[in-house]
Structures are given as structure tokens and as C-alpha cells.
Amino acid sequence: MSRNIFVVTVPQLGVNDQVATIVDWYVRDEDAVSSGDPLCTLETTKAVFDVEADASGYVVCLASVGSEVEISQPIALIGSVLEDLRAEKEGFERRSTEESNVRSTSLSESVKATRKARATAQRLGVDLKEISVHGIIREQDVVQYVGESKSTEQQLDLSWQSSRQPVVIYGAGRGAITLKECLDFDGSYQVVCFVDDDPQHPAELCNLPVYHSSQLKEIVGRGVRSLACEIAGGSVRLRILRQCKDMGVRMITVIHPQAYVAPTVQIGKGNYIKAGAIVETNTVIGNCCIIDNGAVIAHDNTIADGCHIAPGVAMGSTIHVGELSIIGIGASIATGIWIGKGAIISVGSSVVKNVPDFAVVEGVPGRIVGRRRSEVKISREVGNL
Amino acid sequence: MRYVESLNQALHQVMAADDRVFVLGEDILDPYGGAFKVTKGLSSIYPDRVLATPISEPSITGFATGMAMRGLLPILEIMFGDFITLCTDQIINSATKFSWMYNEQVKVPLVIRTPMGGRRGYGPTHSQTLETLFLSVPGLTIIAPSHFHDPGNLLRKAVLSERGPVLFVENKLLYPKRLSQPDQSGRIGDFFAEKLFGHNKDYPSISLSLVKGERADVTLVAYGGMAPLAAEAAFNVFMQHEIVVKIIVPSLVKPFPLKDVLPSAQESGRVVIAEEAVRTAGWGAEMASQICESAFDNLSKPIERVGAMEVPIPSSRPLEKTVLPQVSDIEKAIYRQVGV
């Protein structure tokens, strides 16, 4: 150090310890010491050890009895000029209080949030510090916070003809436009507005207002008792179905006039059967499925909750498709096949063997190429059904 | 308070509480106070009841067994857990059998304390986790406190309940570690903690979760020195992928704490068992078997065990890291269970 001052540091006393405790000082501040004199006693979990002076002169102590010090931390200064020593000691003490201040402020400023939460917060322009949560902030906490903070925003502007049932469409993307077009064919329903989770949603779609999903309760309160949805994710549609049940709202199944659905078909809630789809005799469809344009579903099939049968799919008979599975565009499924839950059949594949849960199938003939990544999320969903 | 201080305090307390308590071991007298200082201060206060033994584990286990049979409460320290192999015959054929063989005319309330575990570069014969060799011995209780438990309290119970023989497994790496006890709101750091008494009222398991009251995605079971690694792995997978892990840290290793693990295993359907010993015929293997017997239909995946490679533990630190299970190994197992 400066001006011939020798710094005494904590030696590495053993493999087992990174810290030591000062048990006692043999010297007091400004005592005279000679090289080799014992200065203090240090204790670790394994040993008790005396630290000796490596220089002669006056000594000042930097740490007190009973304090815990780290390996290589300075604990004393030895020098020949007392004024210099005092100044140096003051410098040390000032620096260490500054350090501990910095540490304590940085701790209180750091908010604990997962990687996904941080990314979502950044995307939606949310300050993590404003979210109060019992535990570490997750993505769902950020989304919920955004929903809540938006709820006081917009005045509702809803109106409909008294002879028609008002419908709110959940989701304000392109799929929602097709859904509205479809509902417009049905004289008994009238779409009054859209709602969306994204706080950056457009203000208007198809000349109808778009509100944030947090205002759904308010909309229902005004008398809108039917909801339709064409959002791409099965888990999301099922979550919306649960919300509808909680609010006493009907999640309606929408069938395009140019779709053929046989009289003996049983369909659950919240499904969307699009133009050109064919669903034959005795087939059973659960809740919140999308049967897309031109999909052909022969007789005696079972499609469980939350599935998406994409455009042009060709299915034989007596097939089972498990919850939250996606059958890709133009895929073919042979008669009698069992497809587990959460499966993905890639575009154009042909399924000639049973497909296990969460498998990803590709090719002609279809082969299992992987496992669906959102397995945990889907298991949770299915567990909640 | 540190793990080692908790144990030291407990030893002082039991020595004061009961004159029948004796402490024996190699190099345990003051001022040295034992290789890991767990017995520090005892011989100064109780010179007649703290015995320095010769360097012969079979002999000292033998006469500690005899002391127990004759109405004393001996606490025997085996300096390194690796030396427990020398005590094997006394433990298996004498201490644990005599009560049965003599039709309960004699009890053997012997407590053997020993530190297991590596990660200090101490080499193949000073780093092992060998309590697993004793898992099938009838009549033996094995306790392994973590830093989430109160090790002193568990030791006190082991000694004063007089239900020996007990193998009390400490951990070298945990000795200098500060104990992590739940605060007033029941949290340990970011974790929500709960004590589970389903298996045994005296030796509870601690359950830890970063999320309160939600169904976990994976159940992670780890005891003793693996507990800090389990906590770190659970934290990392949550921060990275929001995977919810419920950690169960038993203190009682044998008899097997199935009742503390089963409810979570049934709920999550995915189980990872992390142990410092090798996996073959180990604690994880037995737990996995028992969990399957009771909860097979609830499991979504085969139970995974994370353990050491089946080679001697190297002295070289980088090689030791390769052989012993690390936090990343536990994370990988969790990711495999969940399909990430």
C-alpha cells in the first residue's frame, strides 16, 4: 500500500473454510509491534490460528473481536508513521461503509422475477416493481397485472337488435373476423363486440369495438350472455370456457351453414365448425374444438376437448383423438386409430399406427419424431378438465 | 447458527441432561476438539465422560456397543464416514441384533455419528456416502439432517429417546453452513417451507416450494448434503422455465420416509431423487420401488435418480466435479421429466 504501510490479511487456513472469526486481539490500536509478534487469534471450523506481524512499527486494527472476516480481507495495518496509519484506517472504514450501502440498496431494488416474466414485462411495457406477488413474479402475474390496470379504461358502447342474442367474441385477430362472418349468417345471433388479452389490441374490428378481456365481466353485466371464440390454442379456449362457466355465460358452438354436421352427432360447448367441414354420423366432439375448412371426419369418431382439426384433414371412422391434440393441414388418419392427448400430427402426414400422448408425428407413413414441448402445461390443463 | 455449532450445542446439552451419556471418538479431546470440532469443549467440562479412543474402529464400535448394553448412552464419533466399513460387523451382527437375540433383555441405545460426503477434494477414501450400505440392516435407524433441519435437535432426540442403534450421518460440506430455518411467514428465502410429520413425529421432512398452494410439476427428493443442490436446481428451473418443483428433504433416511414423499408424488406424477451416493442399489432405488408400489397409476414417467458415477471419487477437484452429482445434473433430470 502507500507510504510504507503493510496490510495484514486473513490467511487461507484450511480447505474447509472461506471465513474466520476474530477471537481476540493481542495488541491495541497504535501499539508498537515487532516482526513476529502475534497480533490476533483467528478461528475457523477446524482450527485456531495466530496471525503474526510481518513488519515492525505501529499497528492499527481494522476488524473487531467476534467479527467474521473473509480470506484475504485486510484486518490490520502496520506502519512507521502514526498520522499515515490513522489516515489509511479512516480510508478503509469509509470504503467499507460505502460498499455495504451499495449492497443494501441494490438488494432492495432487485425484483425477483422469472425469465419469462421479465421478457413479457418488457414486451408489454410493465415495471416489475409495481407488481406485488406472494413469491417470485411469473409471466401470468404480469399478464394479470396488465389486465387489472387496464380495467378502468374504456366506456362500453354496446347495442343490438332485441330479436337477436348478443354475442361477444373472445380474441380480436384474423380468426375472429371469420367467426363474425359465420355468426352473421345466423339471424338469431348478433356480434356486439370483441375482447382481447393483449393491452395493445386494436380499438376496432369489423366496425365493432374491441375491449380488453378484463372488461368481460362488465360486458356480461350489460346483458351479453353468449360468447364465441376461435383462438388458436386449445388450452386458451378451455380456460375461456371455465371463465364462462364461472360467469354464467354460454360459450356457444358455432357451425357454418356450409358445414355438414350429421343429425346424430353430439357436440359440446364452444366449438367452431367451419365452412366445408363434414362431420358424419354418431361422431362425438367435446368442448372447444376447431374443425377447420374442408376437414372430413367420418362416422363414429371421438374428438376430445380442445383439439384442432386443421383444413383438409381426412379422417376415417372409429378414430379417437385425445385432448388438446392438433391434426395438421391435410393429414390423413386411418380407420380405428387411437391418438393420445396433446399429440401433434404434422402437415400432410399419414397416421397408420396409434399415437401416444404428447407425440409429434411426421411423414408418410407417419413416424414419431419428437415430444411436444408444452407437455407440462397440457397435463395441467387436462388435470383441470 | 452454523450446522456444526448446532451439533456441538446439542452434545453439551445431552451431556448436562443425563449422566449416562458418554462421548467417544478419535482425537476428540480439547484443545483439538475433534477433526471437525463437533465435540469442542466437551472434554474440558466432562473429563470423565469424554473418552479418546485408539485408532481402531472395530474395537471402539465394539466397546461402545457394550457400554450401551450395560445401561449407558454412548455417542460414538467415527471420524470419516468412509471408515464405517470397519464398524460393519459390530453394527450388523452385534448392535442391531442383540435386542432381538436376547429377547429384549438388553437394549443397545448406541448413536454413531459420522460425517459423509465429498466436494472437498479429500480423495476416494475420505469423500464417500456410505450409509447406503446399511439400508437393508434390520433394527438400524439412519438419520441425516440437512441445513434446513435443526441438526442439534435431531441429535438430542436420537440420543435421549434411547431407541438405538442410530447411524447419525452428518455432512462435511454442511458443517460450516448457516442453518436455514423458516421465518415468521414460514419462508426460507424465496421458498415456502412446511414441516411434514407423516412419516415420523421426531424426525420430520421439510418440503420447499417456490409457489404456494399450487400443484407441483415435479417432486424432487434429496437428503443431507444434497439439499442445498436440490434447492438451487429447483430455483434455476423455476426462473428459466417456470417449472414448479416441490422439494422434499427427509431427515430420517431409514426407515424409508415414503409417507412424506407419496402425497407430492401422487400429485405431480413426476419424481426425481437426487443422492450423493451411487444409484445402484441405493436409497433412490429403494424409494423409487416403494413409490411405484403405491403410486404407479399416478406416475406420468419412470422415476429418475441422480447420483454419483460408479467410480472411486477422485482427489482432483475438476474430476471430482465430474463424478459427483452437480446442480446441473438435477436440472437436466427435471427437464427430462417435464419434456423441456
Side-chain angles (χ1 to χ4, degrees):
Chain A
M1 282 243 72
S2 53
R3 288 177 275 184
N4 295 318
I5 292 180
F6 185 84
V7 183
V8 181
T9 57
V10 179
Q12 175 88 51
L13 292 170
V15 194
N16 235 29
D17 297 284
Q18 292 306 113
V19 294
T21 311
I22 299 194
V23 175
D24 210 358
W25 283 98
Y26 290 109
V27 297
R28 278 187 310 238
D29 260 18
E30 305 188 8
D31 275 358
V33 294
S34 309
S35 194
D37 286 353
L39 294 174
C40 66
T41 310
L42 291 179
E43 190 183 314
T44 63
T45 61
K46 246 184 124 28
V48 175
F49 189 91
D50 277 353
V51 177
E52 292 175 359
D54 273 326
S56 303
Y58 297 103
V59 65
V60 290
C61 312
L62 297 175
S64 49
V65 172
S67 59
E68 197 175 88
V69 290
E70 285 179 16
I71 307 298
S72 301
Q73 182 178 334
I75 48 171
L77 300 169
I78 300 176
S80 39
V81 183
L82 269 178
E83 280 76 43
D84 291 349
L85 272 181
R86 287 184 198 130
E88 203 62 49
K89 173 170 175 168
E90 231 177 287
F92 259 101
E93 284 170 353
R94 201 185 347 112
R95 273 193 296 274
S96 67
T97 40
E98 272 170 13
E99 265 175 36
S100 60
N101 282 339
V102 168
R103 234 178 294 131
S104 59
T105 45
S106 66
L107 270 173
S108 61
E109 266 169 13
S110 66
V111 178
K112 288 222 164 123
T114 66
R115 180 182 58 90
K116 284 184 183 174
R118 285 188 196 280
T120 306
Q122 193 168 49
R123 184 169 52 88
L124 299 179
V126 173
D127 185 357
L128 285 171
K129 275 185 251 161
E130 296 186 19
I131 304 180
S132 70
V133 136
H134 203 36
I136 301 177
I137 300 173
R138 284 186 287 179
E139 190 180 26
Q140 64 202 53
D141 301 315
V142 177
V143 171
Q144 191 180 342
Y145 171 79
V146 168
E148 282 163 8
S149 60
K150 270 267 176 175
S151 59
T152 48
E153 293 273 357
Q154 287 176 279
Q155 277 277 36
L156 295 182
D157 175 24
L158 306 169
S159 61
W160 58 90
Q161 294 169 359
S162 53
S163 57
R164 300 169 78 178
Q165 294 261 26
V167 180
V168 50
I169 293 182
Y170 204 123
R174 293 208 195 87
I177 303 176
T178 3
L179 189 51
K180 178 185 178 289
E181 276 180 2
C182 189
L183 277 166
D184 285 347
F185 285 113
D186 189 336
S188 55
Y189 286 116
Q190 181 175 356
V191 179
V192 298
C193 66
F194 299 82
V195 290
D196 201 278
D197 288 334
D198 190 348
Q200 252 97 22
H201 62 76
E204 217 180 60
L205 193 65
C206 306
N207 293 320
L208 290 172
V210 181
Y211 302 112
H212 191 266
S213 46
S214 55
Q215 290 193 267
L216 190 54
K217 262 211 169 92
E218 241 186 289
I219 295 168
V220 171
R222 296 286 192 89
V224 182
R225 303 321 233 129
S226 305
L227 184 146
C229 159
E230 206 260 6
I231 293 178
S235 323
V236 180
R237 298 195 297 273
L238 288 169
R239 183 207 90 204
I240 293 168
L241 176 62
R242 275 199 299 281
Q243 272 179 269
C244 287
K245 281 199 182 133
D246 290 337
M247 289 188 291
V249 167
R250 273 186 330 128
M251 193 172 175
I252 58 174
T253 284
V254 179
I255 304 179
H256 196 280
Q258 257 81 65
Y260 174 72
V261 177
T264 45
V265 166
Q266 294 176 59
I267 308 192
K269 305 198 176 84
N271 296 288
Y272 182 19
I273 321 284
K274 296 168 77 167
I278 296 178
V279 186
E280 270 292 18
T281 316
N282 285 323
T283 285
V284 175
I285 299 181
N287 299 319
C288 299
C289 291
I290 298 179
I291 313 297
D292 223 311
N293 300 106
V296 173
I297 302 176
H299 60 89
D300 292 293
N301 289 317
T302 309
I303 317 258
D305 293 353
C307 289
H308 190 158
I309 314 294
V313 164
M315 288 173 60
S317 62
T318 335
I319 294 168
H320 170 102
V321 179
E323 289 88 344
L324 293 159
S325 289
I326 302 174
I327 315 296
I329 297 171
S332 345
I333 307 179
T335 290
I337 291 291
W338 176 282
I339 296 179
K341 57 182 185 264
I344 300 183
I345 312 298
S346 305
V347 162
S349 305
S350 79
V351 182
V352 293
K353 283 200 324 205
N354 289 344
V355 176
D357 294 346
F358 306 112
V360 177
V361 170
E362 196 182 275
V364 177
R367 296 223 146 77
I368 298 175
V369 296
R371 222 176 152 78
R372 189 154 178 191
R373 297 188 119 226
S374 44
E375 188 178 326
V376 171
K377 211 170 78 174
I378 293 175
S379 306
R380 273 207 210 124
E381 264 311 320
V382 176
N384 286 331
L385 285 171
Chain B
M1 182 188 297
R2 297 186 201 279
Y3 190 96
V4 64
E5 289 162 8
S6 171
L7 292 167
N8 180 257
Q9 246 186 46
L11 286 171
H12 278 272
Q13 280 167 357
V14 296
M15 289 291 271
D18 197 319
D19 285 341
R20 295 173 295 158
V21 176
F22 275 71
V23 173
L24 311 85
E26 294 160 13
D27 298 342
I28 61 170
L29 299 183
D30 289 329
Y32 186 59
F36 294 95
K37 306 277 167 266
V38 185
T39 50
K40 193 174 74 160
L42 291 172
S43 66
S44 308
I45 308 174
Y46 309 100
D48 299 331
R49 288 193 281 138
V50 178
L51 310 177
T53 64
I55 312 176
S56 174
E57 281 74 15
S59 310
I60 64 183
T61 314
F63 67 72
T65 303
M67 287 167 77
M69 287 166 72
R70 294 291 274 174
L72 300 173
L73 298 176
I75 308 172
L76 171 62
E77 174 177 303
I78 300 294
M79 196 191 288
F80 277 81
D82 308 63
F83 310 157
I84 202 84
T85 51
L86 295 157
C87 315
T88 306
D89 189 68
Q90 300 283 10
I91 295 175
I92 295 179
N93 286 326
S94 298
T96 56
K97 288 196 166 55
F98 281 166
S99 181
W100 273 304
M101 284 165 74
Y102 291 108
N103 200 22
E104 293 182 14
Q105 291 178 79
V106 101
K107 282 192 313 177
V108 188
L110 165 64
V111 173
I112 303 178
R113 292 182 34 247
T114 187
M116 299 278 188
R119 309 185 199 275
R120 281 267 178 243
Y122 286 162
T125 54
H126 288 69
S127 308
Q128 294 168 94
T129 300
L130 293 183
E131 65 272 14
T132 51
L133 298 176
F134 294 87
L135 292 177
S136 59
V137 175
L140 181 64
T141 304
I142 304 179
I143 302 170
S146 71
H147 70 300
F148 293 121
H149 294 94
D150 183 346
N153 199 20
L154 298 176
L155 181 57
R156 230 189 338 265
K157 290 210 183 110
V159 174
L160 299 178
S161 67
E162 300 184 44
R163 276 191 300 232
V166 172
L167 180 58
F168 193 88
V169 176
E170 299 162 6
N171 185 280
K172 297 180 199 77
L173 222 66
L174 291 184
Y175 277 145
K177 207 167 160 71
R178 288 200 191 282
L179 298 179
S180 289
Q181 300 292 296
D183 61 23
Q184 281 137 326
S185 57
R187 302 193 44 188
I188 299 179
D190 295 309
F191 288 96
F192 296 92
E194 223 191 298
K195 279 204 181 134
L196 305 172
F197 295 96
H199 173 53
N200 186 296
K201 299 281 176 292
D202 289 324
Y203 309 109
S205 303
I206 309 280
S207 89
L208 300 167
S209 178
L210 287 167
V211 162
K212 199 170 170 92
E214 249 182 62
R215 199 182 77 137
D217 298 317
V218 176
T219 302
L220 175 60
V221 189
Y223 70 81
M226 288 300 284
L229 283 83
E232 198 181 322
F235 183 80
N236 290 345
V237 303
F238 182 76
M239 293 303 265
Q240 274 304 300
H241 297 279
E242 297 193 348
I243 297 171
V244 179
V245 174
K246 185 157 210 175
I247 310 174
I248 312 270
V249 184
S251 60
L252 195 56
V253 166
K254 172 182 158 67
F256 294 87
L258 186 66
K259 285 213 186 80
D260 285 341
V261 174
L262 209 52
S264 179
Q266 285 167 324
E267 197 189 48
S268 71
R270 293 182 190 83
V271 181
V272 173
I273 304 175
E275 47 191 336
E276 197 172 324
V278 301
R279 296 181 306 161
T280 305
W283 190 77
E286 178 61 29
M287 286 296 286
S289 247
Q290 290 193 17
I291 295 170
C292 279
E293 280 169 6
S294 303
F296 182 75
D297 291 319
N298 301 102
L299 296 175
S300 328
K301 278 285 218 345
I303 296 174
E304 254 196 75
R305 300 163 291 150
V306 175
M309 278 172 70
E310 228 163 283
V311 291
I313 299 168
S315 299
S316 147
R317 298 278 240 173
L319 288 181
E320 187 188 36
K321 262 197 148 148
T322 317
V323 167
L324 291 179
Q326 304 297 328
V327 172
S328 54
D329 297 316
I330 305 178
E331 289 171 19
K332 287 193 194 123
I334 294 173
Y335 290 146
R336 278 191 297 267
Q337 287 285 308
V338 146
V340 164

